[in-house]
Amino acid sequence: MSLTSSPISAERGDLTDSRLAALCAETVRRAFLEYEERFRAITLRARERFLARDWQGSYADAAERLRLYARQMETLTEQFKKIMGTRLSERSVWTGMKAVYSSLIAQSPKREIAESFFNSLTRRVFATEGVDQAIEFVDTDFDEAPTTPLDNRRTYSGALIHELLIASLTDPATGFAGEHWCNLDASARLAGERIQAASRASQQQTPANGTPRFEVIGNIFYRGRGAYLVGRAFRDKGDKTPVAIALCLRHENETGIDLDAILIGETDLAILFSFTRAYFRVDTECPYELVRSLRELMPRKRLIDLYNAVGYHRHGKTEFYRDFVRHLRTSNDRFVAAEGVRGMVMLVFTLPSYNVVFKLIRDHFDYPKESTRAEVMQRYRLVFEHDRAGRLVEAHEFEHLRIARDRFDPGLLEELLRDTGSIVRLEGDDVVIAHAYVERRIRPLNLFFLEADKASVEAAARDYGRAIKDLAASNIFPGDILTKNFGVTRHGRVVFYDYDELCFLTDCNFRDMPQPTTPEQEMAAEPWFSVRQNDIFPEEFPQFLSLPGSARTSLFERHADLFCAAYWRGIQEKLRAGELPEVFPYRADRRLTNTRVPA
């Protein structure tokens, strides 16, 4: 069904408020159903892309699905302008519309997603500062969880654990029942042994006898070049072990699916579902149930992260905002400048008791930054649509935030009004922020190096180099590789969060440093050779890196090739040839074979 086929196509000045509200509510419902239909169609293509090794198509689908929401909302907004005409901003109509719409979606298994869809339309029309309960679903209208006749879990029992793994993988419900598997029995046995070992370790003793069971949550999760079955293994005595099985198509010239890795425990799954990764494509009838089931496996994960992970990023924003407002009501600390080096482009602040940072684009950038506000926003958009490779922090864009003035440190508020006055203003007892990016707060790498023990510093230095290489494999060059622009997550992974100069790797020109041929050239204080805008000299990187001695040694031992132009040109050649180097969302020791170790 298309929005353009709606029977409501002209201004309805002859209708009562209630009648117009009812017609408009039905229009929103149809638009949401169309969005969901298109969303699901793209999601369902993931299986065919995976089996056909169509990685370019898979990434294209991911980008298409990301853009789908905004395009649907733009179409709906224009439709509403035609439907309502001069009555577009009549709040009485919108109040009635919300009530009718709520009744229309009451039986939907995706009603929380439908509520956020309505909110998006409302905010486009009214540009609401803060929130407005009368015309938005600030809180959900429903006390009970949405339900669906289909359970999102499947349980396998009555056999040994490796046999249960095989049964789950070859179940017709996975979509792989008729496919050829490579070495499935041997891989499943090894996976089963690891699950049993993890179970014994978690119990610190041999578990009591009990019937092993394996529970699968949801359908296959697809992302990039991988496919994942997620669930948990447990026995009757209550021992429950979170598990994810990573599947791959290993050999380009052979057919068959391989069981590549087994991920065990909350930490492994949390890294797989990290806020630094692209979204999964997983077919689900009821996102509410799927997200809560995943949270049982990863209790420290926020709802925002899990809704994001399964592709419902707009509702993820809703969940974040609701949680943030609840936190403000139950806390009394003040917003302060975030730790780390002051940004030349972004002004960054945080609430100490809440684990996010707010990033505002400054009105004027410090020298030598030459970007514009529009260019910075475009880079954040690029990150949103691109494969983040587990190394780029998710940034949610918010508009028209309204926060009580007394929650801001006076010094921070003064800086906000001075340096971001074009998007921050005072209104009575509130601070109104026209535009901000919100990211998870992580420890800046330069500070981590100063405070961590020697072993942690060396590990972070190695992962810092790995992070730069993972970004390169996904066609991203950070632009500024200083450690102040990287951070360390709670799982010890190094990620990048400063997008001011980020660009596509293939747009860069990596050059060897020209060697002087005369004494004058050798003694020159300024470059004696021409340098174009996109020229980059990797040999110069080390002189800009401020690293503790052991960190520097570890970085050079493992990643010295980062400082050679030939390395970067080699990655460019692969990308331009259409190759997509693989970035794994798990450590090499989680794998069940040794043929796909990252460089």
Side-chain angles (χ1 to χ4, degrees), residues 242 264-271 297-301 490-491:
I264 303 173
E266 180 186 351
T267 297
D268 276 6
L269 267 66
I271 292 173
L297 307 180
M298 300 169 280
R300 297 178 65 183
K301 279 287 182 187
R490 64 185 173 92
H491 296 300

Side-chain angles (χ1 to χ4, degrees), residues 408-595:
F408 288 83
D409 174 81
L412 170 63
L413 184 56
E414 180 182 354
E415 184 179 9
L416 287 169
L417 295 171
R418 182 186 67 238
D419 295 346
T420 60
S422 65
I423 55 174
V424 178
R425 76 175 193 275
L426 296 177
E427 187 173 295
D429 294 331
D430 293 333
V431 176
V432 178
I433 301 173
H435 184 265
Y437 294 101
V438 179
E439 297 177 2
R440 177 76 70 85
R441 187 174 67 215
I442 54 180
R443 194 66 178 156
L445 182 58
N446 60 318
L447 299 183
F448 181 87
F449 279 149
L450 296 176
E451 60 199 17
D453 60 74
K454 184 173 183 289
S456 298
V457 164
E458 292 175 353
R462 291 190 293 270
D463 202 49
Y464 166 56
R466 181 73 258 162
I468 296 172
K469 288 183 175 179
D470 285 350
L471 290 174
S474 66
N475 197 20
I476 290 293
F477 182 67
D480 190 342
I481 65 169
L482 298 181
T483 56
K484 68 182 180 66
N485 298 322
F486 290 77
V488 183
T489 71
R490 64 185 173 92
H491 296 300
R493 288 178 54 79
V494 175
V495 297
F496 184 65
Y497 54 67
D498 189 326
Y499 308 147
D500 306 343
E501 298 183 12
L502 175 146
C503 62
F504 289 119
L505 188 79
T506 47
D507 290 341
C508 301
N509 183 33
F510 292 97
R511 295 178 56 187
D512 295 299
M513 184 66 69
Q515 298 301 308
T517 57
T518 67
E520 292 77 14
Q521 291 176 348
E522 188 170 357
M523 299 300 293
E526 299 294 330
W528 47 268
F529 48 87
S530 63
V531 179
R532 296 183 296 273
Q533 182 176 359
N534 292 334
D535 284 354
I536 297 171
F537 299 90
E539 292 172 66
E540 290 189 314
F541 291 170
Q543 64 182 288
F544 299 113
L545 298 179
S546 179
L547 299 171
S550 61
R552 193 177 188 89
T553 300
S554 294
L555 177 64
F556 275 77
E557 285 178 349
R558 185 68 61 88
H559 301 293
D561 49 355
L562 286 174
F563 312 117
C564 301
Y567 167 80
W568 297 95
R569 292 195 293 262
I571 298 294
Q572 286 180 318
E573 289 175 6
K574 293 180 180 179
L575 292 170
R576 288 167 178 158
E579 296 184 34
L580 296 173
E582 193 165 2
V583 179
F584 299 94
Y586 43 84
R587 289 170 20 190
D589 61 5
R590 294 330 192 236
R591 296 174 51 256
L592 299 169
T593 62
N594 296 312
T595 58

Side-chain angles (χ1 to χ4, degrees), residues 232-417:
R232 56 186 173 185
F234 54 98
R235 292 179 177 271
D236 291 340
K237 294 291 185 178
D239 175 49
K240 301 177 182 179
T241 305
V243 170
I245 303 172
L247 310 178
C248 72
L249 296 168
R250 180 170 299 134
H251 306 294
E252 294 294 335
N253 57 349
E254 297 181 11
T255 60
I257 305 171
D258 241 330
L259 200 168
D260 184 68
I262 184 75
L263 312 182
I264 303 173
E266 180 186 351
T267 297
D268 276 6
L269 267 66
I271 292 173
L272 178 66
F273 282 82
S274 172
F275 60 92
T276 62
R277 299 193 184 278
Y279 305 147
F280 287 104
R281 277 161 291 160
V282 54
D283 187 33
T284 178
E285 181 74 15
C286 184
Y288 184 98
E289 288 185 2
L290 177 62
V291 163
R292 269 71 183 177
S293 295
L294 290 171
R295 203 178 193 188
E296 290 179 18
L297 307 180
M298 300 169 280
R300 297 178 65 183
K301 279 287 182 187
R302 305 176 304 169
L303 289 178
I304 176 178
D305 296 324
L306 293 173
Y307 273 107
N308 287 348
V310 297
Y312 289 106
H313 59 282
R314 292 302 180 109
H315 184 69
K317 286 177 61 174
T318 299
E319 291 290 347
F320 163 77
Y321 190 79
R322 289 171 178 171
D323 185 70
F324 176 59
V325 170
R326 285 193 295 267
H327 184 82
L328 288 179
R329 291 170 181 164
T330 58
S331 62
N332 55 20
D333 55 335
R334 290 181 169 182
F335 291 96
V336 296
E339 288 189 284
V341 178
R342 175 186 180 276
M344 297 181 180
V345 172
M346 309 294 283
L347 194 161
V348 186
F349 64 92
T350 188
L351 189 66
S353 62
Y354 200 67
N355 197 29
V356 302
V357 294
F358 295 78
K359 304 177 73 170
L360 277 59
I361 302 175
R362 296 179 181 275
D363 292 342
H364 304 285
F365 303 159
D366 294 347
Y367 179 82
K369 300 289 186 178
E370 297 180 347
S371 299
T372 65
R373 174 183 293 275
E375 289 171 338
V376 173
M377 293 178 69
Q378 178 58 34
R379 291 184 178 112
Y380 274 82
R381 183 69 187 179
L382 185 158
V383 170
F384 170 69
E385 295 183 353
H386 198 73
D387 176 15
R388 296 193 296 279
R391 300 297 185 173
L392 296 173
V393 176
E394 172 98 59
H396 276 286
E397 193 172 7
F398 282 86
E399 295 180 320
H400 311 300
L401 292 171
R402 180 182 290 271
I403 303 172
R405 177 176 182 171
D406 61 9
R407 297 304 299 269
F408 288 83
D409 174 81
L412 170 63
L413 184 56
E414 180 182 354
E415 184 179 9
L416 287 169
L417 295 171

Side-chain angles (χ1 to χ4, degrees), residues 146-187:
T147 59
T148 174
L150 301 176
D151 191 349
N152 73 346
R153 308 186 193 207
R154 300 187 302 278
T155 301
Y156 304 85
S157 61
L160 299 176
I161 186 64
H162 81 275
E163 294 173 326
L164 302 182
L165 297 180
I166 292 174
S168 66
L169 291 167
T170 56
D171 190 322
T174 68
F176 294 145
E179 301 299 328
H180 173 65
W181 289 82
C182 298
N183 306 313
L184 180 57
D185 185 72
S187 297

